[in-house]
Amino acid sequence: ADNNPLRLLAFAAGQMAYAVAIVAAFVRYMASELDYPIWMCYMPRKIVRSDAGLENSYIGRSLGSLAATFVGQSLIKHFLTQGDSMVMAKFATTDEMGIFAFVSNYGSIPARVIFLPLEEASRAVFSKTAAAVNSQDLSKRPAADDKANARDARQVLTVLGKLQLLLGAILTVFGTLYSPILASLARQTDAAVGQALAAYCLYLPLMGLNGFLEAFVHSVASRSQLVRINTWMVGFTVVYMVLAVYVLHRLGLGSAGIIFANMLNMGLRIIYCRVFISAWFARLGIAAPQLSAMLPHPAVIGTCLGSGAVIVAISAAFSHLQNSTVFQLLMLALGGALGTAVLASIWLYEQPFIRSVRRLRSGNLGSIKTS
């Protein structure tokens, strides 16, 4: 009801429930791994060391310095994520702000439900494998175990990359083509809403790719590298804000223009992560993950393109019925059938990838293969 005073707390309650579930999962895992009660982890105790001078504090110097770096990084990322709001508040009209708020809130549901859990899980995996390699002195010849851990990390990156590309293919085809219908069913008759929602469906795959790539980079980067990464992130955001102002103030592209500017920003971040990851594996004398190993099977790509062609052809043939609710519901049913065909093609032609996902879930990293 409109008079419900708690309706604005729904999102906060959902985020709190998610955070509690994540903490509970970590606590359960740690309780089974530790040799002492888990509550002792949260009881502050002073650290006393005499090997490098007396250190009598609650947090070690090296750990405290690293923690301060991560805190600074989180603050910078929080500031950077507000770039949309600052640009929109200064240069956008009220209608454009409303459209962007609608699209970002509803369009980000897949990011919160699918991409965020994947990012958190990948961060935990990379911290266990790749970070162990990074803690060694890479100026020396890498040990066999280090190379094995790095190969495991490479396989995980490949599997996650392929998963993101599969999800991205589905979002690109079905999300962009069905955005006008979904906007209409949500009683958003302005064509700009459908255009912005379609642009957001193109933006989501980039967001997913960047999520797990940055999870790897942040898991293996040293303190000095993290500082350098933050500098680059600030530079990319400046580029984004300049472009966003241009597309709003000069080109008049509205909310869709802001989303395309975000896509450029995300693309720059992905390129930086790719360069960093390639250099990291090169130091170990191991080939970096290849894009060719992440691409979906040609039959899956063909099924996605064929589904898109069918949707476009039917929409063009019955364009005079676009505003009919019955026609829109029939189109959604068609989309469900075509989506099932895409999933069936994934099941038929991506069995090695599916087995790899199952092994990854079981923690058996050494036998992961994507093709």
Side-chain angles (χ1 to χ4, degrees):
D2 291 339
N3 295 326
N4 184 0
L6 299 178
R7 65 186 187 277
L8 296 179
L9 297 178
F11 177 75
Q15 290 292 93
M16 178 62 73
Y18 172 78
V20 170
I22 289 293
V23 171
F26 281 134
V27 167
R28 180 179 179 184
Y29 174 78
M30 291 175 62
S32 64
E33 294 291 324
L34 295 176
D35 296 329
Y36 49 84
I38 191 171
W39 60 264
M40 294 182 63
C41 297
Y42 304 97
M43 298 295 292
R45 292 176 295 173
K46 286 189 175 182
I47 302 172
V48 179
R49 295 178 179 173
S50 58
D51 51 348
L54 183 62
E55 182 176 352
N56 190 7
S57 62
Y58 288 101
I59 300 177
R61 291 189 182 94
S62 59
L63 181 60
S65 177
L66 184 61
T69 302
F70 279 117
V71 170
Q73 184 181 45
S74 299
L75 293 175
I76 291 175
K77 290 187 69 174
H78 177 73
F79 172 76
L80 299 183
T81 54
Q82 301 305 310
D84 294 334
S85 302
M86 291 185 289
V87 172
M88 296 294 287
K90 181 65 176 178
F91 298 98
T93 64
T94 304
D95 290 342
E96 289 171 341
M97 293 175 64
I99 292 173
F100 185 80
F102 173 83
V103 170
S104 61
N105 286 333
Y106 285 93
S108 62
I109 291 176
R112 296 193 297 266
V113 174
I114 301 175
F115 296 143
L116 183 59
L118 284 175
E119 180 180 342
E120 295 292 342
S122 63
R123 194 182 303 273
V125 173
F126 294 141
S127 297
K128 183 178 180 181
T129 56
V133 178
N134 202 60
S135 63
Q136 306 297 323
D137 183 4
L138 294 181
S139 62
K140 301 177 181 179
R141 185 175 180 178
D145 290 343
D146 295 338
K147 286 196 171 186
N149 285 330
R151 291 190 183 96
D152 289 344
R154 181 182 61 185
Q155 295 300 329
V156 173
L157 277 171
T158 303
V159 170
L160 291 176
K162 190 161 194 172
L163 177 60
Q164 296 290 356
L165 290 179
L166 286 170
L167 294 173
I170 295 173
L171 280 171
T172 299
V173 172
F174 292 94
T176 55
L177 296 177
Y178 276 94
S179 292
I181 294 178
L182 295 176
S184 178
L185 292 176
R187 299 180 180 179
Q188 300 292 327
T189 57
D190 192 340
V193 177
Q195 294 170 359
L197 194 58
Y200 207 89
C201 289
L202 295 174
Y203 172 57
L204 282 173
L206 295 177
M207 188 186 301
L209 281 172
N210 178 73
F212 82 89
L213 290 177
E214 285 195 351
F216 179 88
V217 171
H218 294 162
S219 296
V220 305
S222 63
R223 184 175 180 274
S224 61
Q225 289 172 330
L226 287 173
V227 173
R228 187 162 59 251
I229 290 169
N230 291 340
T231 303
W232 278 99
M233 294 301 110
V234 172
F236 294 152
T237 302
V238 171
V239 173
Y240 154 72
M241 296 184 72
V242 171
L243 181 60
V245 171
Y246 182 76
V247 299
L248 270 178
H249 193 57
R250 296 292 184 181
L251 301 182
L253 296 181
S255 301
I258 288 288
I259 297 171
F260 285 126
N262 262 316
M263 292 172 63
L264 174 63
N265 179 32
M266 203 62 66
L268 292 174
R269 292 166 66 171
I270 290 172
I271 292 172
Y272 179 85
C273 290
R274 170 63 181 171
V275 172
F276 181 96
I277 291 171
S278 297
W280 188 85
F281 280 101
R283 287 190 299 170
L284 290 167
I286 298 175
Q290 299 299 314
L291 178 61
S292 58
M294 302 179 189
L295 293 176
H297 192 279
V300 176
I301 297 177
T303 306
C304 287
L305 294 177
S307 299
V310 170
I311 296 170
V312 170
I314 293 180
S315 298
F318 298 94
S319 58
H320 59 286
L321 299 176
Q322 294 294 330
N323 295 325
S324 170
T325 302
V326 175
F327 176 75
Q328 291 173 349
L329 293 177
L330 290 175
M331 287 298 295
L332 288 177
L334 173 65
L338 294 174
T340 302
V342 171
L343 294 178
S345 68
I346 293 175
W347 177 261
L348 289 174
Y349 295 101
E350 295 287 2
Q351 278 298 317
F353 165 73
I354 294 173
R355 288 193 292 269
S356 296
V357 172
R358 290 173 176 170
R359 295 188 185 105
L360 180 60
R361 289 186 60 187
S362 66
N364 186 12
L365 303 181
S367 58
I368 289 178
K369 295 181 180 179
T370 56
S371 61

